[in-house]
Amino acid sequence: RNCHSHELRRRKRGLMTDQVHDFLTKPKRIRNEIMSTQSQIQGLRMSILPKAITYDVDKVQTSPSDIMIRYVEKLEKLEKQAEREQDAYLTAQEDIVRACKSLDKEERTIILQRFLEGQSFEDISDNVTMCRRSTFYVYKKALTKIDAIISR
């Protein structure tokens, strides 16, 4: 899988430990979970829309509201899950910002733009007015510092 090859490249280059990687990519993973949950909620809401009366095998009339209670319960459960995921997302972002407080201004900017804003190194180097090589060097230094911070 593509994710696996990325993992191997990351380890091969020795850029960051698994602990740092998990810490810095947690908001992105949670954001993906939120999007999945929201998609499920949207699909369920579409399913709840009123439908015509159906007949079962014995031609007994049933009302669409017979299953409505199950849909509503599932929808409430998914909405609570989305709230928990949103809280976790905000907490993960706050954790990264807190960890970055002890970094230099350039290091902090690079880490926040990379992991909270999802920017490419090319865009980041333009923003911090550094060449890409210098940006990458500062990035590696910041990763080492974050590893020390979160390992405490």
Side-chain angles (χ1 to χ4, degrees), residues 125-150:
S125 31
D126 288 344
N127 293 341
V128 293
T129 60
M130 283 186 204
C131 69
R132 218 180 295 163
R133 178 179 281 183
S134 295
T135 301
F136 200 70
Y137 173 76
V138 172
Y139 170 75
K140 285 171 51 173
K141 243 177 32 174
L143 293 177
T144 303
K145 289 180 180 180
I146 288 175
D147 190 24
I149 291 166
I150 64 175

Side-chain angles (χ1 to χ4, degrees), residues 1 9 46 53 56 66 71 94 103 112-113 115 118 124:
R1 210 176 117 164
R9 280 183 297 199
M46 296 302 289
I53 294 173
D56 64 16
D66 292 345
Y71 279 122
E94 290 167 357
L103 300 178
L112 295 178
Q113 287 183 3
F115 292 100
I124 294 170

